[in-house]
């Protein structure tokens, strides 16, 4: 049979996932000769052999690729005959700018778990064991294509044993770019708060740390994406100490459980919880704790809440620590309250000196620090909500978005993330944080600079929020001026709406869509603070059709930190007996004066939640963002909408009566109606109003976004009410909170007629 030659190109998530080794083995199975390499677009294969074998090889390649890969496009093209001696993996040849999916970090695989706990294995207790199927990727990436020399692993030179694995086609570390072992790899050290290294052999380091944790000490542990602050989750005193030192009085801590089996012994978890906990992303999963029977110091870990944020060991380092402890530990981001996660040993020692008692360091540099991602499932319909999109998810966004321009979107302010479209892919950064803090702002500018450098592309347009004082807006405008490119402002809530339209590819939908965007704050087109908005999307146009009635916006950003101010702003005269005791006489005088002179109004549903929480004496002062709303939702253990009360309906003018809703809640509260019932009625009212609005507009497709839609009880109610009569669309690969704004800005710019 005649020998022919072909070129095969594969794009998508095909680097850092064992694709080239897979190709090598498959090619040899079909007796083919040629080469495979990474390039700036993905994977390129040149192959010679019997044509039927090549076609079978190609079919196997695209139909059953490596489990970590995601093929976007593939193409087989016949080329002039080329002679090859064998089939080989050749060094990457980058001849142009990057145009490929980047690779997120992967949780430790089952094979590596077995190896590090096997005393006969050469990687026994080596805390940086990886293979082609697992390990850090984005965290250690300097540039692409994904080769060792482009990562921080380049500082470590493989020993002969590791090189043998790396070059052995039958070994799962064949061409594993993160390959290392205890002989040639990353080294750990334990030091005290003065930076003095403890004289401990590496073989004893986890035994020592486990002992210190059991004794009540707080350890700052450098993981592969950044530092974690850890202490014994059973020790209430240790947890309280961590709270005091970290200045985190109420916000719940995440818990690292040593194993899924132990977690199941202590609480009931669903199939969805288990799958998420053991997934490649291995996020923190928020789980109801009503039936918890384990040893955790629950009140200290998650005060006032009926839920627990849990994760499993997702790196070898965490697995080895868990194996020594055999008990759950607190594992919270290694930072000072509201600062970004720390990744350098020098900075950790400086910033966390007054927080941690000891530091577990290692000498692997982290290029892209990332917090742990957080997800939650609704109780009834198991609807998945992404609360924080970071490790395991960033920086990829899977979808096809073509543009003639290189677009940089700067996102919002409180839940900062940036998005870049320099080629055929959209890249969305990991969660960055609150830009009020200088460290977070610096992380934002570093991330933007990294994207521009990595893709060797200068943005041709920069998109910013319409809020003039957002630091992301100011930086975006400044950067646009420096680069001599235009900056375009996009209204916050329209960006929320566009994010869902983009996720579900709804821009070309022929029938109208109702957009329901509820959150805490966003600068409106009329100069007021929006947050309870209804839009109609149709034919690439967005129009605001209704909103919650305006009420006073008091004391600027202070309002979001003090739910009692929202109550004061919304309260009518007949509620004042309940409101005034929450303030001193001096405060009352000041705020009443401000209220009389105030011209700035808001429609914020987020602030309505705050007002309800304050009225019910659940929360008057937030110690962390969204605390009042979170505690409010956590009062609900069960609900029955058949017995729920509607507190208000849409007014004749199409507006939503915010103050009337609060008054009805007040009357029930004074009558002694059960608090859980009141909150259920409140959420039922909000859900019902959405469908009232849909019916009023004769629309059956509803898009919902904004931080309010992190409330999973509200989501379940909406799904129950919608049944088959309405189609609901939520953010699915992005958080409903402001982390989706950057993506939404981009989708708005590309698809809405008034954008340019």
């Amino acid at each position: 049979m005649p020998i022919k030659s072909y070129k095969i190109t594969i794009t998508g998530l095909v680097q850092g996932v064992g694709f080239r080794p897979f190709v090598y083995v498959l090619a040899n199975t079909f007796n083919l000769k040629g080469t495979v390499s990474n390039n700036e677009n993905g994977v390129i294969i040149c192959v010679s052999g019997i044509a039927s074998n090549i076609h079978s090889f190609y079919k196997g390649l695209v139909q059953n690729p490596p489990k970590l890969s995601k093929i976007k496009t593939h193409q087989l093209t016949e080329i002039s005959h080329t002679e090859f001696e064998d089939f080989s993996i050749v060094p990457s040849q980058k001849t142009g700018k990057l145009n490929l999916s980047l690779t997120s970090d992967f949780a430790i695989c089952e094979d590596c778990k077995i190896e590090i706990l096997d005393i006969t294995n050469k990687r026994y207790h080596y805390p940086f064991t990886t293979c082609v199927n697992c390990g850090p990727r984005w965290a250690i990436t300097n540039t692409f294509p994904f080769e060792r020399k482009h990562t921080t692993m380049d500082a470590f030179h493989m020993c002969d044993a590791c090189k043998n694995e790396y070059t052995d086609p039958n070994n799962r570390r064949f061409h594993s770019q993160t390959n290392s072992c205890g002989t040639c790899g990353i080294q750990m050290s334990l030091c005290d708060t003065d930076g003095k290294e403890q004289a401990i052999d590496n073989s004893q380091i986890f035994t020592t740390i486990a002992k210190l944790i059991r004794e009540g000490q707080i350890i700052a542990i450098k993981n592969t994406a950044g530092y974690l602050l850890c202490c014994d989750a059973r020790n209430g005193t240790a947890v309280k100490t961590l709270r005091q030192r970290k200045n985190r009085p109420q916000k719940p801590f995440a818990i690292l459980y040593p194993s899924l089996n132990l977690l199941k012994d202590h609480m009931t978890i669903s199939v969805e919880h288990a799958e998420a906990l053991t997934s490649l992303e291995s996020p923190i999963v928020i789980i109801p704790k009503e039936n918890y029977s384990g040893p955790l110091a629950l009140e200290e870990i998650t005060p006032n809440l009926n839920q627990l944020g849990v994760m499993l060991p997702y790196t070898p380092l965490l697995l080895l620590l868990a194996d020594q402890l055999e008990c759950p530990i607190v594992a919270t981001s290694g930072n000072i309250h509201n600062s970004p996660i720390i990744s350098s040993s020098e900075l950790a020692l400086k910033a966390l000196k007054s927080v941690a008692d000891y530091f577990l360091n290692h000498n692997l540099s982290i290029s892209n620090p990332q917090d742990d991602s957080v997800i939650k499932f609704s109780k009834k319909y198991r609807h998945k909500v992404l609360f924080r999109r970071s490790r395991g998810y960033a920086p990829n966004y899977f979808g096809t978005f073509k543009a003639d321009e290189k677009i940089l979107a700067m996102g919002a302010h409180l839940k900062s993330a940036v998005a870049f479209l320099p080629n055929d892919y959209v890249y969305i950064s990991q969660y960055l944080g609150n830009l009020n803090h200088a460290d977070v702002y610096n992380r934002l500018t570093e991330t933007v600079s990294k994207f521009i450098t990595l893709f060797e592309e200068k943005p041709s347009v920069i998109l910013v929020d319409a809020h003039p004082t957002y630091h992301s807006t100011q930086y975006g405008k400044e950067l646009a001026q420096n680069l001599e490119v235009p900056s375009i402002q996009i209204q916050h809530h329209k960006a929320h709406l566009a994010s869902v339209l983009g996720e579900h590819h709804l821009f070309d939908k022929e029938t109208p869509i109702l957009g329901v965007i509820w959150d805490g704050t966003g600068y409106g087109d009329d100069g007021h603070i929006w947050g309870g908005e209804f839009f109609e999307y149709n034919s690439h146009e967005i129009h605001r059709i209704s909103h919650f009635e305006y009420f006073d916006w008091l004391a600027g950003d202070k309002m979001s930190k003090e739910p009692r101010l929202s109550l004061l702003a919304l309260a009518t005269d007949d509620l004042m007996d309940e409101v005034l005791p929450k303030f001193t006489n001096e405060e009352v005088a000041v705020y009443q004066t401000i209220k009389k002179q105030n011209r700035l109004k808001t429609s914020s549903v987020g602030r309505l939640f705050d007002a309800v929480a304050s009225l019910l004496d659940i929360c008057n002062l937030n110690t962390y963002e969204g605390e009042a709303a979170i505690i409010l939702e956590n009062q609900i253990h069960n609900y029955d909408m058949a017995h729920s009360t509607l507190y208000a309906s849409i007014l004749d003018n199409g507006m939503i009566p915010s103050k009337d809703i609060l008054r009805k809640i007040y009357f029930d509260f004074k009558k002694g109606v059960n608090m859980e019932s009141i909150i259920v009625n409140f959420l039922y009212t909000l859900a019902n109003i959405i469908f009232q609005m849909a019916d009023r507009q004769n629309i059956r497709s509803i898009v919902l976004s904004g931080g309010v839609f992190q409330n999973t009880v509200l989501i379940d109610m909406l799904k129950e009410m919608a049944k088959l009569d309405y189609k609901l669309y939520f953010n699915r690969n992005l958080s409903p909170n402001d982390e989706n704004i950057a993506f939404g800005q981009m989708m708005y710019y590309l698809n809405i007629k008034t954008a340019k």
Side-chain angles (χ1 to χ4, degrees):
M1 288 187 175
I3 301 297
K4 293 196 172 185
S5 298
Y6 287 84
K7 181 174 79 172
I8 299 170
T9 55
I10 312 282
T11 70
L13 182 59
V14 292
Q15 294 189 15
V17 294
F19 208 97
R20 289 177 299 167
F22 171 81
V23 169
Y24 177 94
V25 172
L26 191 63
N28 279 287
T29 301
F30 285 99
N31 296 314
L32 303 177
K33 295 180 179 181
T35 63
V36 58
S37 66
N38 288 337
N39 67 3
E40 65 275 8
N41 296 306
V43 169
I44 183 167
I45 304 162
C46 292
V47 62
S48 293
I50 298 171
S52 59
N53 284 359
I54 292 175
H55 284 285
S56 296
F57 161 73
Y58 179 60
K59 183 178 178 181
L61 189 63
V62 298
Q63 291 185 353
N64 298 291
K67 63 179 182 179
L68 299 182
S69 65
K70 293 183 180 180
I71 293 177
K72 181 181 179 183
T73 67
H74 52 86
Q75 186 174 18
L76 175 71
T77 307
E78 187 171 359
I79 58 176
S80 58
H81 179 65
T82 308
E83 290 284 351
F84 297 100
E85 290 185 8
D86 53 16
F87 196 92
S88 61
I89 298 175
V90 299
S92 299
Q93 297 296 321
K94 180 174 175 289
T95 58
K97 297 173 182 177
L98 292 182
N99 187 19
L100 48 72
S101 287
L102 305 186
T103 313
S104 307
D105 294 1
F106 299 120
I108 182 173
C109 69
E110 292 302 316
D111 289 329
C112 286
K113 284 181 184 179
I114 292 169
E115 286 180 344
I116 65 170
L117 297 177
D118 177 4
I119 198 169
T120 65
N121 192 282
K122 84 163 194 164
R123 287 187 174 80
Y124 176 66
H125 277 202
Y126 177 56
F128 303 96
T129 298
T130 66
C131 68
V132 293
N133 298 318
C134 67
R137 299 292 194 270
W138 177 236
I140 60 169
T141 292
N142 292 324
T143 187
F144 272 76
F146 191 78
E147 297 283 358
R148 193 182 186 96
K149 66 181 179 181
H150 294 154
T151 73
T152 57
M153 282 299 298
D154 190 44
F156 305 92
H157 303 288
M158 282 184 280
C159 62
D160 289 342
C162 286
K163 282 181 182 176
N164 288 337
E165 293 171 329
Y166 185 83
T167 55
D168 180 1
N170 297 313
N171 194 293
R172 78 175 193 283
R173 293 191 173 90
F174 182 46
H175 274 262
S176 171
Q177 305 305 321
T178 56
N179 194 26
S180 67
C181 71
T183 301
C184 62
I186 303 152
Q187 298 300 308
M188 297 181 301
S189 63
L190 182 67
C191 71
D192 62 19
T193 54
D194 292 323
K196 182 181 179 183
E197 194 169 320
Q198 306 297 290
I200 302 168
D201 186 85
N202 266 1
S203 64
Q204 295 300 310
I205 210 158
F206 289 106
T207 306
T208 303
I209 293 170
K211 180 174 180 291
L212 290 170
I213 287 176
R214 288 193 195 98
E215 291 172 352
Q217 305 291 310
I218 296 167
I219 315 296
I221 295 176
K222 186 178 181 182
N223 202 21
T224 52
Y227 274 85
L228 295 172
L229 286 165
C230 301
C231 70
D232 191 338
R234 304 166 301 177
N235 184 334
T237 302
V239 179
K240 282 181 181 177
T241 300
L242 179 55
R243 286 200 175 282
Q244 291 163 359
R245 293 181 183 178
K246 201 182 177 189
N247 187 27
R248 186 167 165 168
Q250 297 286 329
K251 190 175 182 179
F253 283 135
I255 302 302
L256 178 73
Y257 248 80
S259 69
L260 184 61
N261 287 337
L262 185 63
L263 179 61
K264 286 180 175 179
D265 287 345
H266 291 171
M267 65 193 304
T268 302
I269 65 170
S270 69
V271 171
E272 292 82 5
H273 292 145
E275 288 178 350
L277 287 164
T278 56
S279 67
L280 293 173
E281 297 84 9
S282 290
I284 296 168
V285 181
I286 299 174
I287 303 174
K289 71 173 189 185
E290 291 106 327
N291 59 357
Y292 184 79
S293 60
L296 292 178
L298 289 177
E299 269 311 303
E300 290 81 6
I301 290 167
T302 178
N304 304 316
L305 299 181
N306 65 8
Q307 61 190 28
L308 198 59
V310 179
M311 60 181 167
L312 297 178
Y314 56 84
T315 64
L317 189 153
L318 293 178
L319 184 64
L320 290 171
L321 178 59
D323 184 60
Q324 287 293 322
L325 279 163
E326 297 182 333
C327 70
I329 60 172
V330 168
T332 187
S333 296
N335 58 6
I336 298 298
H337 188 52
N338 286 326
S339 294
I341 189 169
I342 294 169
S343 61
S344 103
S345 304
E346 295 76 15
L347 182 57
L349 188 60
K350 181 180 177 181
L352 302 177
K353 185 181 180 72
S354 60
V355 180
D357 297 302
Y358 290 91
F359 293 79
L360 176 61
N361 301 319
H362 59 72
N363 59 343
L364 174 67
S365 296
I366 297 172
S367 296
N368 300 292
Q370 303 160 86
D371 285 283
D372 293 312
S373 297
V374 182
I375 66 170
K376 184 179 180 181
F377 294 92
S378 68
K379 189 173 183 178
K380 187 166 186 177
Y381 289 98
R382 303 300 184 196
H383 179 89
K384 177 183 171 182
V385 181
L386 193 56
F387 276 53
R388 184 167 71 198
R389 179 186 174 278
S390 198
R391 176 192 53 77
Y393 297 93
N396 285 322
Y397 181 84
F398 294 102
T400 302
F401 304 100
K402 291 278 188 181
D404 296 329
E405 300 168 280
K406 314 301 180 184
I407 306 169
L408 175 65
M410 298 303 300
H413 186 83
L414 290 177
K415 300 283 189 181
S416 176
V418 298
F420 195 27
L421 179 58
N423 47 46
D424 295 336
Y425 299 85
V426 172
Y427 306 92
I428 305 176
S429 76
Q430 61 270 32
Y431 159 84
L432 299 172
N434 183 341
L435 294 177
N436 281 329
H437 301 275
D439 291 344
V440 179
Y441 178 79
N442 291 338
R443 186 68 57 85
L444 168 76
T445 61
E446 290 165 5
T447 302
V448 169
S449 178
K450 172 121 190 182
F451 274 177
I452 292 173
T453 302
L454 185 64
F455 297 105
E456 303 172 277
E457 290 286 7
K458 177 179 89 169
S460 53
V461 61
I462 297 178
L463 311 178
V464 298
D465 193 278
H467 200 300
T469 66
Y470 276 5
H471 294 322
S472 57
T473 298
Q474 294 171 347
Y475 174 64
K477 287 183 174 181
E478 179 186 326
L479 181 63
Q481 194 171 21
N482 291 339
L483 296 176
E484 298 181 334
V485 300
S487 65
I488 294 178
Q489 294 181 331
I490 293 173
Q491 200 280 324
H492 187 90
H493 300 91
K494 293 174 185 176
H496 269 307
L497 171 55
S499 76
V500 183
L501 295 174
E503 283 213 70
H504 292 271
H505 304 287
L506 297 174
F507 285 107
D508 293 325
K509 191 173 173 63
E510 295 180 356
T511 54
I513 295 170
L514 177 66
V516 183
I517 312 300
W518 294 350
D519 62 4
T521 178
Y523 189 75
D525 289 341
D526 58 2
H528 290 301
I529 305 300
W530 291 3
E533 312 312 307
F534 293 89
F535 299 96
E536 181 176 318
Y537 170 80
N538 195 12
S539 301
H540 298 273
E541 293 183 348
I542 294 175
H543 299 285
R544 188 188 191 211
I545 56 174
S546 183
H547 58 86
F548 277 67
E549 280 188 326
Y550 282 137
F551 55 94
D552 288 304
W553 182 262
L554 299 177
D557 289 341
K558 193 175 183 183
M559 196 170 182
S560 66
K561 298 173 183 175
E562 299 190 16
R564 61 180 187 154
L565 285 177
S566 295
L567 177 60
L568 178 63
L570 276 159
T572 50
D573 290 343
D574 48 352
L575 273 69
M576 283 302 162
D577 286 346
E578 197 68 38
V579 178
L580 295 181
K582 300 177 187 292
F583 299 87
T584 65
N585 291 335
E586 292 80 5
E587 286 175 326
V588 170
V590 170
Y591 289 129
Q592 293 290 27
T593 301
I594 292 173
K595 201 170 179 182
K596 287 176 185 175
Q597 299 172 347
N598 181 62
R599 295 291 178 270
L600 188 61
K601 304 293 183 179
T602 184
S603 57
S604 171
V605 176
R607 298 292 79 82
L608 178 58
F609 269 80
D610 283 353
V612 172
S614 180
L615 175 63
L616 300 178
D617 280 329
I618 289 172
C619 182
N620 290 306
L621 302 171
N622 283 336
T623 65
Y624 59 91
E625 188 186 350
E627 180 176 4
I630 293 170
I631 296 175
L632 198 73
E633 179 185 357
N634 270 252
Q635 305 305 305
I636 300 173
H637 296 85
N638 249 314
Y639 69 87
D640 180 0
M641 288 198 304
H643 298 97
S644 296
T645 300
L646 190 64
Y647 283 139
S649 293
I650 298 174
L651 299 173
D652 290 342
N653 64 0
M655 298 296 107
I656 316 303
S658 311
K659 292 185 177 182
D660 202 39
I661 292 172
L662 193 68
R663 286 180 73 249
K664 297 285 179 60
I665 290 172
Y666 170 72
F667 294 151
D668 271 1
F669 183 54
K670 296 305 286 184
K671 284 190 295 187
V673 174
N674 174 275
M675 185 184 294
E676 184 175 2
S677 297
I678 291 174
I679 299 169
V680 167
N681 291 341
F682 171 53
L683 296 180
Y684 171 75
T685 299
L686 296 180
N688 194 281
I689 283 170
I690 290 172
F691 295 108
Q692 288 181 39
M693 187 64 71
D695 290 344
R696 188 184 181 98
Q697 301 296 321
N698 194 27
I699 294 175
R700 290 294 174 266
S701 297
I702 306 173
V703 159
L704 308 108
S705 187
V708 167
F709 293 103
Q710 291 181 148
N711 187 305
T712 53
V713 175
L714 178 59
I715 289 173
D716 274 346
M717 284 184 174
L718 288 166
K719 283 179 168 280
E720 188 171 345
M721 287 185 188
K723 296 183 176 156
L724 297 176
D725 299 326
Y726 305 86
K727 179 66 175 174
L728 304 181
Y729 298 94
F730 299 90
N731 290 108
R732 54 184 176 185
N733 297 309
L734 300 171
S735 172
N737 68 35
D738 282 3
E739 288 179 51
N740 72 46
I741 289 293
F743 178 74
Q745 290 167 343
M746 192 174 288
M747 294 301 101
Y748 184 97
Y749 179 76
L750 289 173
N751 295 282
I752 303 302
K753 291 177 181 176
T754 57
K756 301 180 184 181

